[in-house]
Amino acid sequence: MKLVACILFAGAIMCVASCGSRHITDKDVLVKDTDFEVVLEVEDSVVELPGTLHIKEWRMVNDKLLCFTSGNDLSFHIFDGENFEKTDSFGVIGNGPGEFVMPSLVRGKSLEEVIYDPAQRAIFKLDRNLNPIALETSGLWGTYNFPVSVRSGIIGFTDKRKKDKVWLIKNISTGETMDSLFFLQKDMKNSKVPVDFKVASNDKRFVVARQFADECIVGNINDDGKIESCRYYDGVGKQHIERPYYVDVDCGNKEFYLLSMKNVDFSDRNSPKGICEVEVYNYDGYPLRLMKLNFMPRKMLLDEKRNRLLFMSAMDDNVHIVRL
């Protein structure tokens, strides 16, 4: 099955790129193909990672797994990238040395991972051993929702202060707005389905996956953080406030991964039933693989160097490892 152009904004969401006032046209809107070349029931290995249920963000940095926990235990934990043994931790709540208020892990100007704390307007470099070193003052001011690296030194985040959902793209050093995406819900007044989404980037392309609708956007971004193009893929599934579709997304060099819950029954929130899946596409929207999981994850992390996917369990302190 090939991607077929469909009626503009056939789904519930309209996406508008503000760059040059360019709107998505009917040539940009495509039916999301789900005729996968390969369907796999994957095998996994499991390791216990104490405190997993409190992890907000995780990244592979310098061959180590760096995890950030939120809540009262606001801190960073470092695990060996092979055996997952804990090697160190740092950070507490505060404004002093080695303290953070609202930290996030993003890519800095030189492709290195940095800690960005908008509440302190501070950017911290991580040395070889992942020790934080104050790098520079950020030009951004205010608190932001779940910033995501778009390109080196450029982040995207959701601005919930406006009536419609807006995903802003900004330079973390200067604070300059580079571009933005507006998500305008069709018939907003009568809809109870939130416009929530997950975003990932590989420094050249980005993917936006809707959480409560069978929809995603694949875009290209230039060196300046401007959106050059984006294509909107509309699936056949109906949106529903109690039925999540995509709970996470990650971008590889040649393909992207969507963590799907579309075949999970959440009528009993304490004991969901069904099969979680990972949909793998190339950046032209061609469906490559469908991976069926035998566990219930809540987060996903692509480790291309080791050719594997890591999944954070939604039920316990386990991390599931799936080889690609």
Side-chain angles (χ1 to χ4, degrees):
M1 183 189 300
K2 294 183 178 180
L3 291 170
V4 182
C6 69
I7 299 174
L8 177 61
F9 309 137
I13 292 297
M14 178 170 69
C15 172
V16 179
S18 67
C19 178
S21 299
R22 186 189 63 80
H23 290 217
I24 288 182
T25 69
D26 56 352
K27 294 181 180 180
D28 299 310
V29 185
L30 305 169
V31 173
K32 187 160 66 65
D33 190 350
T34 55
D35 188 10
F36 292 92
E37 282 188 350
V38 178
V39 178
L40 302 169
E41 293 187 6
V42 300
E43 297 183 357
D44 64 300
S45 56
V46 182
V47 295
E48 185 177 358
L49 209 64
T52 299
L53 289 174
H54 301 287
I55 291 176
K56 179 182 175 183
E57 295 183 65
W58 57 346
R59 299 278 195 283
M60 294 300 303
V61 185
N62 298 345
D63 290 330
K64 300 179 178 67
L65 179 62
L66 179 60
C67 300
F68 164 55
T69 58
S70 58
N72 294 329
D73 181 28
L74 190 155
S75 55
F76 290 86
H77 303 278
I78 304 171
F79 300 87
D80 185 274
E82 288 291 344
N83 58 31
F84 296 95
E85 292 184 359
K86 186 173 180 178
T87 60
D88 204 355
S89 63
F90 63 88
V92 295
I93 297 177
N95 290 290
E99 298 178 341
F100 307 95
V101 180
M102 296 183 62
S104 290
L105 292 166
V106 297
R107 283 192 299 275
K109 290 183 291 187
S110 302
L111 284 176
E112 80 279 12
E113 292 286 335
V114 300
I115 297 173
Y116 165 57
D117 190 343
Q120 298 189 77
R121 296 185 64 188
I123 301 172
F124 299 86
K125 178 182 177 180
L126 297 173
D127 67 14
R128 187 174 184 82
N129 296 316
L130 305 190
N131 298 309
I133 302 171
L135 183 61
E136 62 178 314
T137 300
S138 171
L140 287 174
W141 177 256
T143 57
Y144 301 105
N145 296 285
F146 310 113
V148 175
S149 293
V150 177
R151 288 194 72 97
S152 299
I154 298 173
I155 63 170
F157 60 88
T158 307
D159 187 351
K160 295 184 177 180
R161 297 170 295 178
K162 302 187 181 297
K163 181 180 178 181
D164 299 309
K165 266 300 174 56
V166 181
W167 193 61
L168 295 174
I169 300 174
K170 285 181 173 282
N171 185 303
I172 59 174
S173 296
T174 66
E176 179 184 0
T177 299
M178 313 308 298
D179 215 328
S180 59
L181 286 174
F182 293 79
F183 295 82
L184 311 177
Q185 179 128 3
K186 191 177 181 180
D187 197 17
M188 180 76 78
K189 292 182 180 179
N190 297 324
S191 178
K192 296 181 180 179
V193 180
V195 188
D196 289 337
F197 47 85
K198 295 290 187 178
V199 185
S201 168
N202 69 356
D203 225 42
K204 295 180 181 178
R205 302 178 180 92
F206 67 90
V207 177
V208 180
R210 286 285 308 280
Q211 287 189 266
F212 293 98
D214 192 5
E215 302 163 2
C216 68
I217 297 166
V218 180
N220 293 329
I221 198 158
N222 65 21
D223 292 342
D224 297 324
K226 301 285 187 182
I227 297 172
E228 293 185 325
S229 64
C230 50
R231 307 174 91 184
Y232 171 90
Y233 293 96
D234 188 10
V236 297
K238 294 183 178 180
Q239 58 178 332
H240 196 285
I241 192 170
E242 294 183 354
R243 179 182 177 179
Y245 275 86
Y246 300 115
V247 297
D248 210 352
V249 56
D250 211 343
C251 291
N253 185 38
K254 296 182 179 180
E255 52 197 34
F256 65 91
Y257 300 75
L258 300 175
L259 180 55
S260 169
M261 298 287 180
K262 65 175 64 175
N263 291 316
V264 177
D265 181 4
F266 285 94
S267 55
D268 182 356
R269 289 284 177 174
N270 295 321
S271 183
K273 295 179 175 59
I275 301 296
C276 300
E277 299 168 331
V278 177
E279 301 176 10
V280 187
Y281 298 85
N282 67 19
Y283 289 100
D284 291 324
Y286 188 81
L288 300 174
R289 300 182 299 283
L290 180 67
M291 304 166 63
K292 295 180 177 291
L293 309 178
N294 60 4
F295 52 89
M296 190 69 61
R298 69 179 183 91
K299 290 183 75 66
M300 174 178 64
L301 177 65
L302 174 64
D303 182 3
E304 281 195 303
K305 183 175 181 179
R306 295 179 175 85
N307 200 34
R308 65 186 183 180
L309 283 171
L310 306 181
F311 297 90
M312 197 178 298
S313 173
M315 314 303 291
D316 49 40
D317 282 343
N318 288 335
V319 170
H320 296 257
I321 306 167
V322 172
R323 300 290 174 180
L324 298 175

